[in-house]
Amino acid sequence: MPSISIPHHITRRQSSQTKKPKSPINKSCIVRSILDLCSHGRIHEALTQLDFLPRLGLCLDSKTIATILKRCGDEGALREGKWVHRHLRLTGRKDPGVLVSNHLIYMYMSCGEVRCARKVFDKMPVRNLYSWNNVVSGYAKRGLMEKARGVFERMGERDVVSWNSMVIGYAQSGEYEAALRYYKGLRREGGVGLNAFSFSGALMVGVKLKDLGLTRQVQCQVLGFGYQGNVVLSSSILDAYCKCGEMGDARKVFNEMSIRDAFTWSTLISGFAKLGDMGSAKELFDMMPDKNAVAWTSVISGYARNGLAHHALELFRKMILLRYTPDQYTFSSCLAACATIASLKHGKQIHAHLILSGFRSNMIVLSSLIDMYSKCGRLEYCRRVFAFTDSKQEVMLWNPMIAALAQHGYGKEAVELFDEMVNCGVKPNRVSYVIILNACSHSCLLDTGRAFFKSMTEDHGLIPDIEHYACLIDLLGRAGHFDELIHELDKMPCKTDHRIWNALLGVCSIHGNEELGSKAAHRVLEMEPQSSGAYSLLSSVYAASGNWVSVEEVRQLMHERKSARKEQAGSWTETDSKSQALFSST
């Protein structure tokens, strides 16, 4: 008997009917997956699942949404944060509640979208203290202190976070009086306890103003509230003492700290190095258990600043051998050391290391390279570094190149480069004008120098300071325009100091202006009694006018004042093996 075949469509129907029912969707697994992806920084990947949730009949709870928004704020992921906000609106949660709204404010403020944050805040029907603090803190961190104050004044209830935000915000914005006013208000506020962050703003003011009295007051308050064991606070107090130059107090704070982190060690080392106490700086550096790049750089830059270039370069060599990674300030300090001793060999080695290590040079390093090559006498290398720099929108790159041209006698070319800088839309700063005025002075470009001095205020809104006036005095004096020079001296808005009188004395020695030179020399010696240069220049003034009797009197006076010894002239020369100093005989 033939077999009966069953139609395919019936078979398919029966097989489909016998399939096992789908297992219910595990909501907790999906939520866990989203949160895990967020915690690993894969926010975009996590949020791709949001659009599928409504189709599956799922809705994330407020706590999960708040966690995702916080992660977006922490990572600065504005696009993803807006994505979550859109998801809330599309799923019918236009009023997401206080918890989610607070985290929306935090996310927008953290990402710099202040208007969006404020819009969320204004639409909240119910707000808690966290809502208000979020807005105040957000404004303060962005330096929008007027807006922060406006919200702060409207608060019905304030806590220590509210006050701390205002104090730290004003301190970071440079409004130190306001910061201290709110700090005092916090201390007077009844029922609001202080925490470790409450002292940070006041200490910041102490550091910025180098206010020793304020620093000591805050330290006493820290001790009174029992926060002396807080490493961050103790390090801030130590930093404030270093900035005030009170290294004895700084060392005492350091010695009393039971726990010291790398920042603490580096701060104290840097403090000693900046004051020129390289013995103490190196001693601490050798004691430091876990050295970091900051500590290495502090000692290297200290050596470079204090005329110990060879020590700086030797320490840099050790740093490289021990495989520490130099930063821009390390390279800049080493290049400055090379410039000090005119060591082209070492400068080239550092330049080669920059290239071979793949270090992406920034304006600080590039400007240091130009300065180093200039002081090593290689103007063509300066031109190459400048020419091959892609972005020339920073004034600190143009300044050393203009200075290099001026130092090598190319005053007119320096002026042309200055004009090119301005035409490129780069705004000159006060240093730019010191450089170009010196260039005009040493290249006898009197009219050009006058025009530059005038353009400072008229074209760029810069107020000339004492250094600019010293350059102007030198410019007019070298050209022999003493009447105009005296006129500029009389109308100077700032008080004259040794720089003005030294400039005047210098030009008087060139032209033999005995009367004015004698007056300038006496003013210099009043301000700097041990100045050997003043005696030498005064002697030159008398010599230029043929007054040999006065020349002998000045030399005799200098001999009697043994402390005012003439500085020994010297220069550096580089051999195949090392740099050597050559000094003239006395």
Side-chain angles (χ1 to χ4, degrees):
M1 184 176 177
S3 59
I4 301 172
S5 61
I6 302 173
H8 290 293
H9 68 278
I10 297 176
T11 307
R12 284 197 300 270
R13 188 184 303 157
Q14 287 178 347
S15 61
S16 63
Q17 290 174 353
T18 57
K19 279 184 180 179
K20 293 182 180 179
K22 292 181 180 180
S23 58
I25 298 168
N26 193 327
K27 179 181 176 181
S28 62
C29 289
I30 295 175
V31 172
R32 186 73 265 158
S33 172
I34 293 173
L35 294 178
D36 284 344
L37 288 169
C38 287
S39 65
H40 288 90
R42 296 157 65 183
I43 301 174
H44 184 84
E45 189 178 342
L47 297 188
T48 55
Q49 301 184 32
L50 283 183
D51 293 337
F52 295 102
L53 294 178
R55 302 175 196 174
L56 300 173
L58 297 178
C59 180
L60 294 180
D61 58 57
S62 296
K63 187 177 179 182
T64 304
I65 291 289
T67 303
I68 296 170
L69 286 169
K70 185 178 185 308
R71 178 61 64 175
C72 291
D74 293 341
E75 298 288 335
L78 176 62
R79 183 184 170 203
E80 286 74 13
K82 285 185 172 181
W83 193 346
V84 176
H85 197 179
R86 181 176 65 93
H87 172 78
L88 289 171
R89 289 195 295 267
L90 291 175
T91 53
R93 284 185 280 182
K94 292 183 179 180
D95 176 18
V98 176
L99 176 66
V100 173
S101 295
N102 286 344
H103 282 80
L104 277 169
I105 294 169
Y106 170 80
M107 182 273 296
Y108 280 126
M109 283 294 189
S110 299
C111 296
E113 284 288 335
V114 177
R115 289 184 180 178
C116 292
R118 185 58 188 263
K119 191 179 290 186
V120 173
F121 177 78
D122 290 338
K123 287 182 177 180
M124 291 177 70
V126 178
R127 307 181 186 112
N128 60 15
L129 184 57
Y130 189 86
S131 315
W132 291 90
N133 281 344
N134 251 343
V135 178
V136 171
S137 175
Y139 280 140
K141 286 176 181 176
R142 296 282 161 184
L144 302 171
M145 295 312 301
E146 282 301 309
K147 291 182 179 294
R149 187 174 65 83
V151 177
F152 181 85
E153 296 298 335
R154 287 173 52 201
M155 293 179 71
E157 177 190 0
R158 300 170 188 142
D159 64 0
V160 68
V161 176
S162 322
W163 287 95
N164 287 351
S165 297
M166 296 299 291
V167 175
I168 295 172
Y170 274 121
Q172 289 176 337
S173 300
E175 299 182 54
Y176 304 127
E177 289 185 10
L180 293 178
R181 188 168 64 249
Y182 275 89
Y183 176 70
K184 290 174 183 176
L186 166 60
R187 297 200 63 219
R188 286 195 303 265
E189 189 78 4
V192 176
L194 278 69
N195 60 21
F197 294 103
S198 304
F199 307 98
S200 300
L203 284 171
M204 201 180 298
V205 174
V207 169
K208 296 293 184 183
L209 297 181
K210 298 180 181 179
D211 189 329
L212 181 60
L214 175 62
T215 300
R216 284 182 171 153
Q217 285 180 30
V218 177
Q219 185 187 16
C220 290
Q221 291 161 10
V222 169
L223 293 171
F225 280 89
Y227 286 111
Q228 64 270 27
N230 186 290
V231 178
V232 175
L233 274 180
S234 294
S235 296
S236 298
I237 293 168
L238 186 150
D239 184 38
Y241 280 131
C242 288
K243 294 291 192 301
C244 295
E246 294 293 325
M247 298 311 298
D249 288 334
R251 187 63 188 261
K252 186 178 178 182
V253 172
F254 178 83
N255 291 338
E256 291 174 351
M257 292 176 68
S258 56
I259 300 173
R260 302 166 187 144
D261 58 12
F263 175 79
T264 309
W265 284 91
S266 299
T267 301
L268 190 60
I269 291 168
S270 177
F272 278 117
K274 285 177 180 176
L275 287 178
D277 187 353
M278 294 310 301
S280 298
K282 185 61 165 62
E283 179 190 357
L284 279 164
F285 178 77
D286 291 337
M287 291 167 54
M288 187 174 176
D290 296 312
K291 297 177 178 62
N292 59 7
V294 176
W296 284 91
T297 301
S298 296
V299 181
I300 290 170
S301 62
Y303 279 139
R305 272 197 311 271
N306 291 287
L308 300 168
H310 286 293
H311 288 74
L313 295 174
E314 176 59 24
L315 193 61
F316 177 72
R317 186 185 68 82
K318 291 180 180 177
M319 181 182 184
I320 298 300
L321 286 174
L322 294 172
R323 299 187 180 280
Y324 285 91
T325 303
D327 61 15
Q328 56 184 340
Y329 302 107
T330 320
F331 286 118
S332 178
S333 297
C334 290
L335 290 167
C338 295
T340 302
I341 58 174
S343 178
L344 181 62
K345 174 186 173 182
H346 288 103
K348 280 184 170 181
Q349 288 176 351
I350 293 170
H351 194 177
H353 181 82
L354 282 165
I355 295 168
L356 293 173
S357 64
F359 186 88
R360 190 173 181 181
S361 297
N362 58 15
M363 293 302 113
I364 293 174
V365 176
L366 290 169
S367 61
S368 298
L369 273 171
I370 294 171
D371 182 63
M372 181 273 295
Y373 281 129
S374 173
K375 288 174 180 171
C376 290
R378 296 304 177 95
L379 182 61
E380 68 275 19
Y381 291 172
C382 300
R383 294 182 193 271
R384 286 184 200 173
V385 172
F386 183 78
F388 285 107
T389 302
D390 295 329
S391 176
K392 294 186 177 70
Q393 295 305 307
E394 294 288 340
V395 69
M396 67 182 301
L397 180 69
W398 293 82
N399 284 348
M401 189 63 234
I402 296 169
L405 291 168
Q407 288 163 6
H408 287 262
Y410 294 91
K412 289 184 178 179
E413 195 174 338
V415 169
E416 289 172 3
L417 190 63
F418 187 97
D419 291 337
E420 183 185 337
M421 174 183 74
V422 174
N423 292 334
C424 288
V426 179
K427 183 178 173 63
N429 58 16
R430 63 165 301 279
V431 177
S432 311
Y433 276 100
V434 170
I435 293 168
I436 201 63
L437 287 170
N438 267 318
C440 293
S441 177
H442 287 84
S443 298
C444 302
L445 301 172
L446 177 61
D447 292 336
T448 307
R450 283 186 183 130
F452 274 125
F453 190 84
K454 188 177 180 181
S455 75
M456 275 188 72
T457 306
E458 293 185 358
D459 297 337
H460 298 288
L462 296 170
I463 306 300
D465 59 27
I466 197 75
E467 202 167 358
H468 298 110
Y469 275 101
C471 294
L472 182 64
I473 297 301
D474 188 64
L475 173 74
L476 297 171
R478 283 176 184 270
H481 289 241
F482 283 96
D483 290 338
E484 186 179 351
L485 185 155
I486 296 298
H487 176 69
E488 290 294 342
L489 269 178
D490 290 339
K491 71 174 190 178
M492 267 180 60
C494 42
K495 187 179 179 182
T496 58
D497 69 1
H498 64 94
R499 287 170 288 186
I500 294 291
W501 296 112
N502 270 316
L504 182 57
L505 182 55
V507 295
C508 287
S509 70
I510 294 172
H511 292 279
N513 190 325
E514 185 176 327
E515 181 183 353
L516 196 55
S518 178
K519 179 184 176 182
H522 285 96
R523 294 299 297 270
V524 171
L525 291 172
E526 284 176 10
M527 299 175 182
E528 298 179 314
Q530 310 306 322
S531 172
S532 61
Y535 288 102
S536 299
L537 286 171
L538 182 58
S539 177
S540 299
V541 170
Y542 288 136
S545 63
N547 189 347
W548 299 106
V549 174
S550 295
V551 169
E552 188 57 35
E553 287 176 355
V554 170
R555 289 179 177 175
Q556 184 64 31
L557 183 61
M558 186 175 177
H559 179 72
E560 290 172 1
R561 298 184 180 181
K562 294 180 180 179
S563 57
R565 293 179 61 189
K566 183 178 179 180
E567 291 183 10
Q568 196 174 12
S571 62
W572 290 91
T573 184
E574 190 172 52
T575 64
D576 291 336
S577 56
K578 59 182 179 180
S579 298
Q580 293 182 337
L582 301 178
F583 295 100
S584 63
S585 58
T586 55

Short mmCIF file of all heavy atoms in Angstrom, two decimals, residues 412-454:
data_model
loop_
_atom_site.label_atom_id
_atom_site.label_comp_id
_atom_site.label_asym_id
_atom_site.label_seq_id
_atom_site.Cartn_x
_atom_site.Cartn_y
_atom_site.Cartn_z
N LYS A 412 65.70 95.46 11.65
CA LYS A 412 64.63 95.72 10.68
C LYS A 412 63.82 94.46 10.40
O LYS A 412 62.59 94.51 10.26
CB LYS A 412 65.24 96.25 9.38
CG LYS A 412 65.79 97.67 9.51
CD LYS A 412 66.29 98.20 8.18
CE LYS A 412 66.79 99.64 8.33
NZ LYS A 412 67.33 100.18 7.05
N GLU A 413 64.50 93.31 10.34
CA GLU A 413 63.79 92.06 10.11
C GLU A 413 62.91 91.70 11.32
O GLU A 413 61.82 91.15 11.17
CB GLU A 413 64.78 90.93 9.83
CG GLU A 413 64.13 89.70 9.24
CD GLU A 413 65.12 88.64 8.82
OE1 GLU A 413 66.30 88.99 8.58
OE2 GLU A 413 64.71 87.47 8.72
N ALA A 414 63.40 92.06 12.53
CA ALA A 414 62.60 91.84 13.74
C ALA A 414 61.31 92.66 13.68
O ALA A 414 60.23 92.18 14.04
CB ALA A 414 63.41 92.21 14.98
N VAL A 415 61.43 93.91 13.20
CA VAL A 415 60.26 94.77 13.07
C VAL A 415 59.28 94.18 12.04
O VAL A 415 58.06 94.16 12.26
CB VAL A 415 60.69 96.20 12.64
CG1 VAL A 415 59.47 97.03 12.25
CG2 VAL A 415 61.45 96.87 13.77
N GLU A 416 59.81 93.69 10.93
CA GLU A 416 58.96 93.08 9.89
C GLU A 416 58.22 91.85 10.44
O GLU A 416 57.04 91.65 10.14
CB GLU A 416 59.82 92.68 8.69
CG GLU A 416 60.34 93.87 7.89
CD GLU A 416 61.35 93.47 6.83
OE1 GLU A 416 61.59 92.23 6.68
OE2 GLU A 416 61.89 94.36 6.14
N LEU A 417 58.92 91.05 11.24
CA LEU A 417 58.29 89.85 11.81
C LEU A 417 57.21 90.24 12.82
O LEU A 417 56.17 89.59 12.92
CB LEU A 417 59.34 88.94 12.46
CG LEU A 417 58.86 87.57 12.89
CD1 LEU A 417 58.38 86.75 11.68
CD2 LEU A 417 59.96 86.79 13.62
N PHE A 418 57.47 91.30 13.60
CA PHE A 418 56.47 91.79 14.55
C PHE A 418 55.20 92.20 13.79
O PHE A 418 54.09 91.84 14.19
CB PHE A 418 57.03 92.98 15.33
CG PHE A 418 56.15 93.47 16.43
CD1 PHE A 418 56.35 93.07 17.74
CD2 PHE A 418 55.09 94.35 16.17
CE1 PHE A 418 55.52 93.53 18.77
CE2 PHE A 418 54.26 94.81 17.18
CZ PHE A 418 54.49 94.39 18.48
N ASP A 419 55.38 92.94 12.68
CA ASP A 419 54.22 93.36 11.88
C ASP A 419 53.49 92.15 11.29
O ASP A 419 52.26 92.13 11.22
CB ASP A 419 54.68 94.29 10.76
CG ASP A 419 55.15 95.65 11.29
OD1 ASP A 419 54.74 96.01 12.40
OD2 ASP A 419 55.93 96.31 10.59
N GLU A 420 54.26 91.14 10.87
CA GLU A 420 53.64 89.93 10.32
C GLU A 420 52.81 89.22 11.39
O GLU A 420 51.71 88.72 11.11
CB GLU A 420 54.74 88.99 9.80
CG GLU A 420 54.18 87.72 9.15
CD GLU A 420 55.28 86.75 8.73
OE1 GLU A 420 56.44 87.19 8.55
OE2 GLU A 420 54.98 85.54 8.62
N MET A 421 53.34 89.19 12.62
CA MET A 421 52.60 88.58 13.74
C MET A 421 51.25 89.27 13.93
O MET A 421 50.21 88.61 14.05
CB MET A 421 53.43 88.68 15.02
CG MET A 421 52.72 88.21 16.27
SD MET A 421 53.71 88.41 17.78
CE MET A 421 53.60 90.18 18.02
N VAL A 422 51.26 90.58 13.95
CA VAL A 422 50.02 91.34 14.14
C VAL A 422 49.05 91.10 12.99
O VAL A 422 47.85 90.92 13.19
CB VAL A 422 50.33 92.85 14.30
CG1 VAL A 422 49.03 93.66 14.36
CG2 VAL A 422 51.16 93.09 15.55
N ASN A 423 49.58 91.07 11.75
CA ASN A 423 48.75 90.83 10.57
C ASN A 423 48.14 89.44 10.57
O ASN A 423 47.09 89.21 9.96
CB ASN A 423 49.57 91.03 9.30
CG ASN A 423 49.95 92.48 9.08
OD1 ASN A 423 49.25 93.39 9.55
ND2 ASN A 423 51.05 92.73 8.39
N CYS A 424 48.79 88.49 11.25
CA CYS A 424 48.26 87.12 11.36
C CYS A 424 47.17 87.00 12.44
O CYS A 424 46.64 85.92 12.67
CB CYS A 424 49.39 86.14 11.68
SG CYS A 424 50.49 85.83 10.30
N GLY A 425 46.89 88.12 13.10
CA GLY A 425 45.84 88.11 14.12
C GLY A 425 46.31 87.72 15.50
O GLY A 425 45.50 87.49 16.39
N VAL A 426 47.64 87.66 15.69
CA VAL A 426 48.19 87.33 17.01
C VAL A 426 48.39 88.63 17.78
O VAL A 426 49.09 89.54 17.30
CB VAL A 426 49.52 86.56 16.89
CG1 VAL A 426 50.09 86.26 18.27
CG2 VAL A 426 49.32 85.27 16.11
N LYS A 427 47.81 88.72 18.96
CA LYS A 427 47.89 89.95 19.75
C LYS A 427 49.20 89.99 20.53
O LYS A 427 49.48 89.07 21.31
CB LYS A 427 46.70 90.02 20.72
CG LYS A 427 46.64 91.30 21.54
CD LYS A 427 45.41 91.30 22.42
CE LYS A 427 45.41 92.48 23.39
NZ LYS A 427 45.37 93.77 22.70
N PRO A 428 50.01 91.03 20.37
CA PRO A 428 51.26 91.13 21.14
C PRO A 428 50.97 91.35 22.62
O PRO A 428 49.94 91.96 22.97
CB PRO A 428 51.97 92.32 20.52
CG PRO A 428 50.90 93.12 19.85
CD PRO A 428 49.83 92.16 19.44
N ASN A 429 51.86 90.90 23.48
CA ASN A 429 51.72 91.13 24.92
C ASN A 429 52.82 92.07 25.39
O ASN A 429 53.61 92.59 24.58
CB ASN A 429 51.73 89.82 25.70
CG ASN A 429 53.00 89.00 25.48
OD1 ASN A 429 54.01 89.52 24.99
ND2 ASN A 429 52.96 87.73 25.85
N ARG A 430 52.92 92.28 26.68
CA ARG A 430 53.90 93.25 27.20
C ARG A 430 55.33 92.83 26.86
O ARG A 430 56.19 93.68 26.58
CB ARG A 430 53.72 93.43 28.70
CG ARG A 430 53.94 92.21 29.56
CD ARG A 430 54.10 92.55 31.04
NE ARG A 430 55.20 93.44 31.28
CZ ARG A 430 56.47 93.04 31.37
NH1 ARG A 430 56.78 91.76 31.18
NH2 ARG A 430 57.43 93.92 31.61
N VAL A 431 55.58 91.51 26.86
CA VAL A 431 56.93 91.01 26.56
C VAL A 431 57.28 91.32 25.10
O VAL A 431 58.42 91.67 24.78
CB VAL A 431 57.02 89.49 26.83
CG1 VAL A 431 58.39 88.95 26.44
CG2 VAL A 431 56.75 89.19 28.29
N SER A 432 56.30 91.20 24.22
CA SER A 432 56.53 91.50 22.80
C SER A 432 57.05 92.92 22.62
O SER A 432 57.97 93.17 21.83
CB SER A 432 55.23 91.35 22.00
OG SER A 432 54.59 90.13 22.26
N TYR A 433 56.48 93.85 23.38
CA TYR A 433 56.89 95.25 23.24
C TYR A 433 58.25 95.53 23.89
O TYR A 433 59.00 96.38 23.42
CB TYR A 433 55.81 96.18 23.80
CG TYR A 433 54.73 96.45 22.79
CD1 TYR A 433 53.53 95.78 22.81
CD2 TYR A 433 54.95 97.37 21.76
CE1 TYR A 433 52.55 96.02 21.86
CE2 TYR A 433 53.99 97.62 20.80
CZ TYR A 433 52.78 96.94 20.85
OH TYR A 433 51.83 97.18 19.89
N VAL A 434 58.58 94.82 24.96
CA VAL A 434 59.93 94.95 25.53
C VAL A 434 60.96 94.52 24.50
O VAL A 434 61.99 95.18 24.28
CB VAL A 434 60.07 94.10 26.82
CG1 VAL A 434 61.52 94.04 27.28
CG2 VAL A 434 59.20 94.67 27.94
N ILE A 435 60.66 93.40 23.82
CA ILE A 435 61.59 92.86 22.81
C ILE A 435 61.74 93.81 21.64
O ILE A 435 62.86 94.13 21.21
CB ILE A 435 61.09 91.48 22.32
CG1 ILE A 435 61.18 90.45 23.45
CG2 ILE A 435 61.91 91.00 21.12
CD1 ILE A 435 60.46 89.14 23.16
N ILE A 436 60.63 94.30 21.08
CA ILE A 436 60.71 95.12 19.87
C ILE A 436 61.28 96.50 20.16
O ILE A 436 61.99 97.09 19.32
CB ILE A 436 59.32 95.22 19.18
CG1 ILE A 436 59.49 95.61 17.70
CG2 ILE A 436 58.40 96.17 19.90
CD1 ILE A 436 60.25 94.61 16.88
N LEU A 437 61.02 97.05 21.35
CA LEU A 437 61.62 98.34 21.71
C LEU A 437 63.12 98.22 21.87
O LEU A 437 63.88 99.11 21.47
CB LEU A 437 60.98 98.87 23.00
CG LEU A 437 59.54 99.39 22.87
CD1 LEU A 437 58.93 99.67 24.23
CD2 LEU A 437 59.49 100.65 22.01
N ASN A 438 63.58 97.09 22.45
CA ASN A 438 65.02 96.84 22.55
C ASN A 438 65.63 96.69 21.16
O ASN A 438 66.74 97.16 20.90
CB ASN A 438 65.28 95.57 23.38
CG ASN A 438 65.50 95.88 24.84
OD1 ASN A 438 66.18 96.84 25.18
ND2 ASN A 438 64.90 95.08 25.72
N ALA A 439 64.91 96.00 20.27
CA ALA A 439 65.40 95.81 18.90
C ALA A 439 65.57 97.16 18.21
O ALA A 439 66.59 97.41 17.55
CB ALA A 439 64.43 94.92 18.12
N CYS A 440 64.59 98.04 18.35
CA CYS A 440 64.67 99.37 17.73
C CYS A 440 65.81 100.18 18.33
O CYS A 440 66.52 100.90 17.62
CB CYS A 440 63.35 100.12 17.92
SG CYS A 440 61.96 99.39 17.02
N SER A 441 65.98 100.06 19.65
CA SER A 441 67.03 100.81 20.33
C SER A 441 68.42 100.43 19.83
O SER A 441 69.24 101.29 19.52
CB SER A 441 66.93 100.57 21.84
OG SER A 441 67.97 101.24 22.53
N HIS A 442 68.68 99.11 19.73
CA HIS A 442 70.01 98.65 19.35
C HIS A 442 70.25 98.71 17.84
O HIS A 442 71.39 98.52 17.39
CB HIS A 442 70.23 97.22 19.86
CG HIS A 442 70.42 97.16 21.34
ND1 HIS A 442 69.36 97.13 22.23
CD2 HIS A 442 71.54 97.16 22.11
CE1 HIS A 442 69.82 97.09 23.46
NE2 HIS A 442 71.14 97.11 23.43
N SER A 443 69.19 98.97 17.07
CA SER A 443 69.35 99.09 15.61
C SER A 443 69.14 100.52 15.14
O SER A 443 69.00 100.76 13.93
CB SER A 443 68.35 98.16 14.90
OG SER A 443 68.59 96.82 15.23
N CYS A 444 69.12 101.48 16.10
CA CYS A 444 68.99 102.91 15.79
C CYS A 444 67.72 103.22 14.99
O CYS A 444 67.73 104.06 14.09
CB CYS A 444 70.21 103.40 15.02
SG CYS A 444 71.77 103.14 15.90
N LEU A 445 66.62 102.53 15.31
CA LEU A 445 65.34 102.77 14.63
C LEU A 445 64.47 103.65 15.53
O LEU A 445 63.49 103.20 16.13
CB LEU A 445 64.65 101.44 14.33
CG LEU A 445 65.45 100.46 13.46
CD1 LEU A 445 64.74 99.11 13.39
CD2 LEU A 445 65.64 101.03 12.06
N LEU A 446 64.86 104.92 15.64
CA LEU A 446 64.23 105.83 16.60
C LEU A 446 62.75 106.04 16.30
O LEU A 446 61.91 105.86 17.18
CB LEU A 446 64.96 107.17 16.60
CG LEU A 446 64.37 108.26 17.50
CD1 LEU A 446 64.37 107.83 18.96
CD2 LEU A 446 65.14 109.57 17.33
N ASP A 447 62.43 106.44 15.08
CA ASP A 447 61.03 106.73 14.75
C ASP A 447 60.15 105.48 14.85
O ASP A 447 59.00 105.56 15.33
CB ASP A 447 60.94 107.30 13.32
CG ASP A 447 61.56 108.69 13.23
OD1 ASP A 447 61.62 109.37 14.27
OD2 ASP A 447 61.98 109.08 12.12
N THR A 448 60.70 104.36 14.43
CA THR A 448 59.94 103.10 14.54
C THR A 448 59.68 102.75 15.99
O THR A 448 58.58 102.33 16.36
CB THR A 448 60.72 101.95 13.86
OG1 THR A 448 61.05 102.33 12.53
CG2 THR A 448 59.90 100.68 13.84
N GLY A 449 60.69 102.93 16.85
CA GLY A 449 60.54 102.66 18.28
C GLY A 449 59.50 103.55 18.92
O GLY A 449 58.67 103.10 19.72
N ARG A 450 59.53 104.85 18.55
CA ARG A 450 58.50 105.77 19.08
C ARG A 450 57.11 105.29 18.69
O ARG A 450 56.17 105.32 19.48
CB ARG A 450 58.72 107.18 18.50
CG ARG A 450 59.87 107.97 19.12
CD ARG A 450 59.83 109.35 18.51
NE ARG A 450 60.89 110.22 18.94
CZ ARG A 450 61.65 110.92 18.11
NH1 ARG A 450 61.48 110.81 16.79
NH2 ARG A 450 62.58 111.73 18.58
N ALA A 451 56.96 104.89 17.42
CA ALA A 451 55.65 104.45 16.92
C ALA A 451 55.17 103.21 17.67
O ALA A 451 53.98 103.09 18.01
CB ALA A 451 55.74 104.17 15.42
N PHE A 452 56.09 102.29 17.94
CA PHE A 452 55.71 101.07 18.68
C PHE A 452 55.27 101.42 20.10
O PHE A 452 54.28 100.87 20.61
CB PHE A 452 56.88 100.09 18.73
CG PHE A 452 56.96 99.18 17.53
CD1 PHE A 452 58.13 99.11 16.77
CD2 PHE A 452 55.89 98.39 17.16
CE1 PHE A 452 58.21 98.28 15.67
CE2 PHE A 452 55.96 97.56 16.06
CZ PHE A 452 57.12 97.50 15.31
N PHE A 453 56.00 102.33 20.76
CA PHE A 453 55.65 102.71 22.13
C PHE A 453 54.25 103.32 22.17
O PHE A 453 53.45 103.04 23.07
CB PHE A 453 56.67 103.70 22.68
CG PHE A 453 56.53 103.96 24.15
CD1 PHE A 453 57.10 103.12 25.08
CD2 PHE A 453 55.80 105.05 24.61
CE1 PHE A 453 56.95 103.35 26.45
CE2 PHE A 453 55.65 105.29 25.97
CZ PHE A 453 56.22 104.44 26.89
N LYS A 454 53.94 104.13 21.15
CA LYS A 454 52.62 104.76 21.07
C LYS A 454 51.52 103.74 20.78
O LYS A 454 50.41 103.82 21.31
CB LYS A 454 52.65 105.83 19.98
CG LYS A 454 51.41 106.70 19.91
CD LYS A 454 51.56 107.77 18.84
CE LYS A 454 50.32 108.64 18.77
NZ LYS A 454 50.44 109.67 17.70
#
